[in-house]
Amino acid sequence: LVCLTLTGLEVSCSVDVNGRFVRQLLRDASIDITGHVRRGENVITLTVANTLANFYRRLPSPYSSKLPTSGGVGDVRVTSWD
């Protein structure tokens, strides 16, 4: 079993393993990617959508502190069990 875990995901993320689409995620998740990996080296590609919220949080405004964080701001882990 091979598990991919993403934390701190604030928007959508596309997961590809070895050039093939696996799944679209909308929030933190752990997904089983066993059927997509092979022995040896593998390539996992995460394409994270983002908004301009992080940019606008830096501007002086009474609303900037109310904007949510956007993007992938957490950890990515791959765990395997025999």
Side-chain angles (χ1 to χ4, degrees), residues 20-56:
R20 294 188 167 209
F21 174 77
V22 174
R23 188 167 166 192
Q24 189 77 25
L25 304 174
L26 297 177
R27 290 285 177 194
D28 294 354
S30 288
I31 60 172
D32 180 1
I33 59 171
T34 305
H36 303 279
V37 296
R38 55 183 178 242
R39 285 208 178 280
E41 192 171 311
N42 291 273
V43 176
I44 298 172
T45 305
L46 305 174
T47 305
V48 179
N50 207 346
T51 69
L52 289 172
N54 295 337
F55 172 77
Y56 286 121

Side-chain angles (χ1 to χ4, degrees), residues 58-75:
R58 299 183 317 196
L59 300 178
S61 164
Y63 305 105
S64 61
S65 64
K66 295 179 174 86
L67 291 170
T69 303
S70 180
V73 294
D75 296 324

